[in-house]
Amino acid sequence: MTTRMLGTLERCKDQYDAGSADTKLVLLRRLARADLRSATSVHRLHEVLCFLRAYPDDARVLAQVERMLARFAARTDLKRHRAALADSGIAGTAIRYCFFWSTLRWLARRWPDHLAMDRGDAGVEDKIAAALPLLLTWAEAGTLKQLELPGFAALDRLRARGESDAAFFARRIAAMPGDGLTREAFHDAIEPSYELAPGPDTPARTRAKHAAAPMAYQQAPLRRDRPDLRVELGRRYRGLRTVSTRVGEQLIELARGAMVTRSRDLDAFAYGNARDVRLVDDGGGLAFLLIGIIPERRQLIPGTCGYLVLHNGVPIGYGEAFVIGRAATMTFNIFETFRGGEAAHTFSRTLAMVRHVFGAESFSFDQYQLGKGNDEAIASGAWWFYYKLGFRPLTAAARRIMRKELARMRADPKHRSSAATLRALAESHMLFDLDRKRTPGLPPLAEPGLRVTEALAKMPAGARERALEECSRNAMRLTGLHSLRGFSAGERLAWLRWSPVVMFALRGVARWSAAERRALARIARAKGGRNEGEYLARFAAHAKLEQALFGMR
């Protein structure tokens, strides 16, 4: 009986016609009291509830769903199947994952008592044993070498009473000499796995929601038609606001939690800048949470922004935009729970948001997003999803495969591309340009770095650091800067990173006008500012910079 009710609810969850809300309410109330027999059924009910929280028919359905989700961790069937539901992200269940350094440090600060190391990997234990002496006092390091304790036993000897092994390990790495990049490299080379035990406020998909996000009830069928990207790109979002630093911190935690509960990680969220968090209201309950990156983690040339897609405050997807001038390389992911919803519409509105916030008019997806080394993209048919919306492959080889597949489909409408064919297609970027007359292309991002590398390789051995110091001074003279007085720490760092590019990678910069060189200095400084918006605007407005960097405009 309960299995039949659950199946009926799954079939009608995304139907929005007369009487659908009443039908859902009846089924929801019965399932709230039901005892489900399997872990699979518990998981299915949870996913329906998450979907209906994002796409509720009316206030009655939303209230019932909210009550059921609030009590979900206390369900008897959830407790009975807790072990089988590990890694599901459901409240009341554990999460096991090979967290990267930034995520480990966040979890260890926020929930130290709930975090422990996974002790099932003997190879990792050996790495920990070798690494620990580098994190300790000289006396402790010498003792460990004498005792030859296994890694986990050594952690148990060293950590304070009541302190978890994971919290101790994170604390010692945080205290080691160097900077964040050094500590990240040290930890991630070990590749330890961790378990986050459930708690009342630990990350859980069950609780994931931004209560202050735009809200709208679903009173019409879901938009499943194929949008015209050029039409959508012309339609601006409803509103945009920058949130306070305090709210920014909370929203970054929401985004990080969305990753943790799905065994994923994203640098834009892991190194999110709480001073650069914006909320874009696109109307109809759809919103985008835009998260900038702290200055020390920004890429040299592209401006980077992570985004979390919200529907009625519920995270339904995420991605990143890497913007250079008018071009944006995108990543885009809809969470599995919501893939039966409005994926194409949401995607088109994502591109429109990036266009109107950052000024991009040309968009691309890299090979991983299309399926190279990404089985999830192959299984979902990501390549054809983007093709049908107007994206086309960059390389001639991929275009030949595309034409052959299209011919097969015309001859046999039932033909579907094999996984091998999709992987071959995924060897090429896909591109789309708002202007049909332009030929989309990709800026050769490696070129400026290669020119810097070639110049430094010509220096005598040991002269690199001195050359880099001279770069800063020479670039200041070239661009009319008298000093770095008044620069923030982020702006100083950006200047030091950009000065070798100014001196070694920019073609013809010495022949620029004084005004153009002064503008270049302002661009380099803006790279380390509060957010990258000013940097992107100044970069796009410079008449010669893109051509000098990449040989294109």
Side-chain angles (χ1 to χ4, degrees), residues 216-285:
Y217 294 113
Q218 192 69 36
Q219 297 177 336
L222 296 177
R223 289 162 287 195
R224 291 190 166 116
D225 56 325
R226 189 178 303 156
D228 184 322
L229 277 191
R230 289 183 173 83
V231 171
E232 290 297 330
L233 286 168
R235 189 161 67 86
R236 193 177 178 86
Y237 51 77
R238 177 179 292 178
L240 181 151
R241 65 183 176 89
T242 301
V243 304
S244 68
T245 301
R246 180 182 61 81
V247 173
E249 290 172 348
Q250 296 169 354
L251 293 177
I252 289 172
E253 287 214 343
L254 176 67
R256 299 188 78 170
M259 298 294 98
V260 164
T261 53
R262 293 171 173 87
S263 299
R264 304 181 188 201
D265 224 323
L266 194 73
D267 280 354
F269 298 162
Y271 298 106
N273 182 2
R275 300 173 65 207
D276 183 18
V277 177
R278 290 172 285 179
L279 189 66
V280 177
D281 178 3
D282 199 56

Side-chain angles (χ1 to χ4, degrees), residues 114-133:
H114 291 270
L115 192 64
M117 302 190 84
D118 182 347
R119 301 196 173 198
D121 190 333
V124 165
E125 182 170 33
D126 293 340
K127 292 180 182 178
I128 291 172
L132 274 175

Side-chain angles (χ1 to χ4, degrees), residues 28 104 157 188 238 290 302 308 315 361 377 394 528 546:
L28 287 167
L104 167 66
R157 179 72 66 91
D188 293 355
R238 177 179 292 178
L290 305 185
L308 190 68
E361 294 186 343
L394 175 64
E546 195 167 353

Side-chain angles (χ1 to χ4, degrees), residues 367-424:
Q367 295 95 323
Y368 179 79
Q369 281 286 301
L370 301 171
K372 185 175 182 179
N374 183 348
D375 291 340
E376 184 178 349
I378 295 295
S380 67
W383 196 94
W384 286 108
F385 174 83
Y386 297 121
Y387 173 85
K388 291 174 182 177
L389 289 167
F391 281 73
R392 294 296 180 265
L394 175 64
T395 67
R399 290 195 295 271
R400 282 194 297 271
I401 298 170
M402 175 191 75
R403 287 191 291 268
K404 289 180 181 177
E405 284 298 288
L406 290 172
R408 289 177 183 143
M409 291 174 181
R410 285 192 294 270
D412 178 9
K414 295 182 180 180
H415 174 77
R416 295 294 180 267
S417 299
S418 67
T421 298
L422 290 172
R423 290 190 178 93

Side-chain angles (χ1 to χ4, degrees), residues 431-452:
L431 302 100
F432 174 91
D433 200 298
L434 179 60
D435 187 343
R436 295 178 188 273
K437 298 177 182 178
R438 282 192 298 243
T439 301
L442 292 173
L445 279 178
E447 286 300 315
L450 285 173
R451 287 178 224 146
V452 171

Side-chain angles (χ1 to χ4, degrees), residues 324-326 443 539 542 544-553:
I324 302 172
R326 50 169 288 278
F539 187 108
H542 198 286
K544 296 180 178 177
L545 179 54
E546 195 167 353
Q547 173 68 29
L549 278 171
F550 306 121
M552 60 186 294
R553 177 67 181 173

